[in-house]
Amino acid sequence: MVPDTTTSPRTGRQELLTALGEIEQRVLWLSAATIDHANRVRPNPTGLKVGGHQASCASMVSIMTTLWFHELTADDRVSVKPHASPALHAVNHLLGELPAEALTTLRSFGGLQSYPSRTKDPDPVDYSTGSVGIGATAPIWGALARRYVEGRFPGAGTGRQYALLGDAELDEGACWEAVQDPMVAGLGEVVWIVDLNRQSLDRVVPALSAERLAGMFEAAGWQVLTLKYGEQLTELFSRPGGEALRTRLDTMGNPEYQRLLRCTPAELRDRLPGTGSTREPLERLVATLDDDALHSAVRNLGGHDLGALLDAYAAIDDTRPTVILAYTVKGRGLHSEGHPQNHSSLLTRDQLADLATRTGADPDDPWRPLPVGAAARLCAERAEELRRPPVERIAPPPVPTDFGRTPGGTGTTQQAFGRALLDLSRSAPEAAARVVTVSPDVSSSTNLGGWLNKVGVWSPTERVDWFADDAETILHWRENPTGQHVELGIAETNLVGLLGELGATWSRWGQPLLPIGIMYDPFVNRALEPWQFGIYAGGQSLLVGTPSGVTLAPEGGAHQSITTPSLGLEQPGCTTWEPAFAQDAEWCVLAALSLLGRPDGGSAYLRLSTRPVDQSLAAVPADPAARERRRRQAVAGAYGLRRAEGTPDVTLAAMGAMVPEALAAADRLASLGVAADVVCVTSPGLLFRATQARRGLDDAPQWVLDQAFPADRAAPLVTLLDGHPHTLAFLGTVHNTPVTPLGVTHFGQSGALDEVYRHHGIDTESVVRAALDLTHRP
């Protein structure tokens, strides 16, 4: 490091702090200049606001400087709060990871992203952030994913997992769901650093209590380190009147403190002493300080004290999670510091020039390198220490496409999913060894029992199963480091957060996993945002929503999902399937697993049902070639399940649990002299992409449309699903035929299955009526 062996420890520390201080000032300047360039220098012919967050960056520069230029190792990972993205790019620039010209591309097309992105930014970004709460919790799940990988496929190494978050981010319930989950208490590599600037977007937070926050973290088993005051204030507390100063600052409300930051020295001398018993001793103490000392003292908080930050990092207890509550000033060092509306404010040209003077930068050459000296040497040394070797990626084992058996009798697609996992363990043990399942305390009710009994439950240490000798115990809860199922509490956001990180291990450490998350389908909506963000960040996983739809008739509207089929259709980077039969479910599960853990892969969503269906209705071909053709069609999005003799009068395109109603309707229509084809839709998303490709709007394969909806059999369409009808309404555009979409458009009711289907107009009678209307039959 900067100090050499000839210096005393104190001298060496001071040299280090001096170098860090110079880097800190350059990070402050570069982040502000990058945002200014995006808004005022780069041409903007549309006149639309570009934006950026100079104040949010400024409150983080001390924390980020001490982390990157002293504390981090190459094995550590850091999630940076969204609005500090320019500060992260400034740090990466000083480490040689980002050329100067890239700093001119913030928020431009193809340039630096508005918020840190693992997949879109050109410089190192450990975690994508941008939706508050998700970036905070991601390192928790990243730590768990690293432990899981290291325990089974060594090579993920060690290292801390840091989250840099704003205090307003702690308003998100997802943070506390993660903090208190029993699985988290033993993750000692997790460190949260809270930028406690006590401001939100529009205002000063009136009653934020660090003591209350500390108590909540401590109750969850976390170590709490609080950095409230810096060295200058701490020294003042030891002087005559110092205790009065501490009492005054400790009892002062956040808005009053923020107002002091906007005061002139003369105003400070009047306002700081207050009106109570502290006034007289404080007036005497303040009288001993010149204007510059008084100005710096009121903003001398622990989150900006480089030495205090280094000491806090040294005090981290690696046996449990740690949170550092670092008091900061939003906008520190800028003319907007402490202002309630500084969140998106921009420095004026004069203010930027003043900042350049104070930080040793040149506004006419904003990207000029640091001068030769200790700070520049420290940047170069840290760049070498933090450089990570290229990740050697292991290709995931091949996943079979077909187990070769045909389910018979009566069964559900949910049951077929559980059986598919067991069959995978027998037919492809190498692929099965990469599978890890995650559920929020619903394992037994989602047909995972057989899988759990076979592979066990993952735990960092082995735990005693006290019910192992209980003869009535069906589900054996064997917890050990070799288990392949992770059970979280009932919090769907935690599940998909972990799912995203398990799905990113192939890109972080070169070890692909095949992660599968299982939850009740109605609660996919609750998990939607972090699930989407995990996909955006490059996490590849299979999400299984089961049971689903109003087919859960006795459960009532609270547990009947309506919108999830269309959500799967609309989610980028994700293929959605809703199989009707056990055979289709098996094929789709295997197809989904084959997408995972690879650079050209992606995520998948399966919507499954607990409705028992006669499997003979699937009419799976016995001939091997015909069977393979059916399989290819099923995983591509649809197949012709029944063809009427001659030219059809109508086509019934049904999905999932509603296929039996479509088949029954086709029989009824035939008795009325109406010829009906029945098409089994398995993936509306894949079919939509195929229709877009026909118009040159996508590059997806189109052949499935020709096979499932051949032009010579084009007819008016009735579409049918247990979900919102617009999900399949686009199928009328395949051949520009009339279409009547049937589905669920309002909240459900409890009742018997036939009653609920009739209530929503998705029963056999409704299908027959819609078909007759389309064909203009009397």
Side-chain angles (χ1 to χ4, degrees):
M1 300 296 292
V2 174
D4 59 41
T5 56
T6 63
T7 60
S8 68
R10 177 61 188 169
T11 303
R13 179 178 171 89
Q14 188 54 53
E15 288 180 356
L16 171 62
L17 293 176
T18 299
L20 288 173
E22 187 176 346
I23 295 171
E24 173 193 37
Q25 291 300 296
R26 186 53 58 98
V27 173
L28 176 63
W29 163 256
L30 288 173
S31 60
T34 297
I35 296 168
D36 181 78
H37 189 280
N39 285 274
R40 290 207 174 98
V41 179
R42 192 170 66 226
N44 181 11
T46 66
L48 291 174
K49 173 189 173 183
V50 176
H53 301 88
Q54 290 174 331
S56 294
C57 289
S59 65
M60 287 293 298
V61 294
S62 306
I63 294 168
M64 295 177 70
T65 297
T66 50
L67 265 183
W68 266 269
F69 296 96
H70 181 268
E71 188 63 22
L72 294 182
T73 71
D75 286 334
D76 296 338
R77 299 290 188 271
V78 187
S79 171
V80 178
K81 75 173 188 179
H83 294 156
S85 172
L88 176 60
H89 298 309
V91 166
N92 282 334
H93 169 65
L94 293 175
L95 291 171
E97 298 283 2
L98 192 68
E101 55 268 24
L103 296 176
T104 67
T105 68
L106 179 70
R107 300 191 174 205
S108 66
F109 185 78
L112 299 177
Q113 298 301 296
S114 305
Y115 311 120
S117 172
R118 284 192 73 223
T119 57
K120 295 180 180 293
D121 275 319
D123 53 330
V125 174
D126 293 331
Y127 289 97
S128 296
T129 60
S131 185
V132 292
I134 295 175
T137 58
I140 290 177
W141 313 125
L144 204 155
R146 187 205 60 77
R147 286 198 182 199
Y148 184 91
V149 168
E150 181 63 18
R152 301 185 65 85
F153 312 104
T158 57
R160 287 175 178 165
Q161 298 275 342
Y162 291 88
L164 310 183
L165 60 151
D167 50 8
E169 202 162 356
L170 292 175
D171 290 345
E172 288 290 336
C175 291
W176 299 107
E177 288 180 350
V179 164
Q180 62 81 42
D181 193 281
M183 192 68 75
V184 173
L187 299 178
E189 62 268 48
V190 172
V191 180
W192 281 15
I193 305 177
V194 180
D195 172 15
L196 205 69
N197 59 49
R198 290 151 292 162
Q199 285 189 235
S200 59
L201 193 149
D202 293 322
R203 62 172 183 162
V204 177
V205 179
L208 186 146
S209 169
E211 292 77 13
R212 178 175 57 86
L213 291 176
M216 294 166 70
F217 279 105
E218 287 171 345
W222 288 49
Q223 177 192 25
V224 178
L225 302 173
T226 302
L227 299 181
K228 188 167 187 179
Y229 300 120
E231 185 177 10
Q232 183 184 3
L233 272 177
T234 302
E235 191 276 327
L236 285 177
F237 295 155
S238 66
R239 297 186 188 183
E243 280 304 314
L245 176 60
R246 182 191 290 272
T247 299
R248 173 82 168 112
L249 292 175
D250 282 346
T251 57
M252 185 182 295
N254 294 329
E256 183 182 4
Y257 171 76
Q258 299 283 109
R259 183 62 185 91
L260 293 180
L261 301 175
R262 310 293 302 167
C263 289
T264 64
E267 291 171 328
L268 268 178
R269 294 181 189 280
D270 178 59
R271 286 176 179 256
L272 180 58
T275 58
S277 60
T278 61
R279 183 169 185 83
E280 185 176 342
L282 271 182
E283 283 180 331
R284 290 196 298 269
L285 177 60
V286 167
T288 67
L289 305 176
D290 61 30
D291 286 352
D292 289 341
L294 181 59
H295 178 272
S296 64
V298 295
R299 48 192 37 80
N300 181 230
L301 300 182
H304 300 299
D305 189 299
L306 302 179
L309 285 163
L310 297 184
D311 292 341
Y313 303 149
I316 291 173
D317 175 4
D318 286 320
T319 67
R320 54 182 174 148
T322 294
V323 61
I324 300 174
L325 301 175
Y327 281 75
T328 60
V329 173
K330 190 167 183 176
R332 188 176 190 275
L334 307 180
H335 284 261
S336 61
E337 66 179 1
H339 195 282
Q341 281 84 52
N342 65 8
H343 184 76
S344 298
S345 65
L346 294 172
L347 298 179
T348 66
R349 293 194 180 280
D350 289 342
Q351 290 169 347
L352 191 72
D354 177 66
L355 178 65
T357 300
R358 290 187 285 109
T359 59
D362 182 354
D364 296 323
D365 186 11
W367 325 120
R368 184 181 66 188
L370 283 167
V372 175
R377 288 198 302 274
L378 180 55
C379 288
E381 291 168 7
R382 291 298 290 159
E384 286 298 317
E385 292 167 0
L386 294 176
R387 187 160 291 122
R388 299 168 184 163
V391 174
E392 296 183 11
R393 292 174 180 164
I394 297 173
V399 176
T401 58
D402 191 345
F403 292 133
R405 60 172 177 78
T406 303
T410 299
T412 74
T413 53
Q414 180 175 294
Q415 292 169 342
F417 164 69
R419 284 197 303 269
L421 291 183
L422 290 174
D423 286 343
L424 184 70
S425 67
R426 291 187 284 263
S427 302
E430 289 188 4
R434 298 273 172 174
V435 171
V436 52
T437 55
V438 187
S439 71
D441 198 32
V442 292
S443 303
S444 57
S445 57
T446 52
N447 282 89
L448 277 183
W451 169 255
L452 263 65
N453 286 342
K454 184 175 183 62
V455 303
V457 178
W458 182 84
S459 173
T461 58
E462 187 162 0
R463 297 176 181 172
V464 176
D465 179 6
W466 292 104
F467 288 86
D469 59 351
D470 187 331
E472 296 184 7
T473 297
I474 299 175
L475 184 65
H476 299 291
W477 206 257
R478 295 179 289 106
E479 297 180 85
N480 55 65
T482 63
Q484 291 180 243
H485 175 77
V486 181
E487 187 92 352
L488 299 173
I490 304 178
E492 284 75 17
T493 55
N494 287 352
L495 180 144
V496 294
L498 176 57
L499 203 61
E501 290 307 316
L502 290 168
T505 60
W506 67 273
S507 59
R508 290 197 192 282
W509 302 293
Q511 290 288 355
L513 296 176
L514 307 180
I516 304 174
I518 305 96
M519 68 173 67
Y520 285 170
D521 195 68
F523 305 148
V524 168
N525 288 297
R526 184 185 300 172
L528 185 59
E529 186 189 15
W531 176 54
Q532 289 177 332
F533 214 81
I535 295 174
Y536 170 79
Q540 298 175 1
S541 60
L542 167 57
L543 180 64
V544 178
T546 184
S548 62
V550 299
T551 298
L552 277 171
E555 294 278 354
H559 274 188
Q560 296 173 354
S561 52
I562 297 172
T563 61
T564 48
S566 60
L567 294 176
L569 162 70
E570 296 155 9
Q571 175 58 45
C574 176
T575 303
T576 180
W577 284 286
E578 184 170 343
F581 302 106
Q583 185 63 77
D584 298 348
E586 174 195 297
W587 287 336
C588 292
V589 167
L590 295 176
L593 292 177
S594 70
L595 297 173
L596 306 179
R598 54 199 331 123
D600 60 344
S603 294
Y605 163 51
L606 258 68
R607 190 173 187 253
L608 304 181
S609 173
T610 51
R611 181 187 184 185
V613 172
D614 179 0
Q615 296 303 306
S616 67
L617 295 176
V620 179
D623 180 81
R627 177 188 177 97
E628 174 59 15
R629 182 173 184 266
R630 166 71 69 85
R631 185 199 68 80
R632 292 181 68 248
Q633 292 173 341
V635 300
Y639 58 87
L641 179 57
R642 183 183 295 181
R643 299 298 191 196
E645 292 186 10
T647 302
D649 298 306
V650 68
T651 296
L652 310 180
M655 188 166 73
M658 304 312 304
V659 170
E661 271 60 39
L663 291 170
D667 291 338
R668 289 272 301 278
L669 289 167
S671 69
L672 296 173
V674 177
D677 280 357
V678 178
V679 176
C680 181
V681 175
T682 53
S683 176
L686 291 176
L687 294 184
F688 181 75
R689 289 195 61 193
T691 61
Q692 291 289 86
R694 277 192 172 179
R695 297 165 176 79
L697 302 175
D698 205 320
D699 59 358
Q702 307 170 36
W703 61 266
V704 67
L705 296 179
D706 297 325
Q707 294 190 11
F709 301 95
D712 61 351
R713 302 190 69 81
L717 270 166
V718 176
T719 64
L720 177 67
L721 76 155
D722 185 357
H724 200 284
H726 83 79
T727 307
L728 297 180
F730 72 91
L731 289 176
T733 67
V734 174
H735 296 300
N736 295 319
T737 55
V739 60
T740 298
L742 301 180
V744 181
T745 57
H746 48 279
F747 290 116
Q749 299 284 338
S750 297
L753 196 62
D754 58 342
E755 294 173 322
V756 170
Y757 281 179
R758 186 164 52 251
H759 172 74
H760 291 286
I762 55 176
D763 59 328
T764 299
E765 294 280 342
S766 298
V767 177
V768 170
R769 284 198 302 270
L772 293 175
D773 287 343
L774 277 176
T775 56
H776 305 292
R777 298 302 175 96

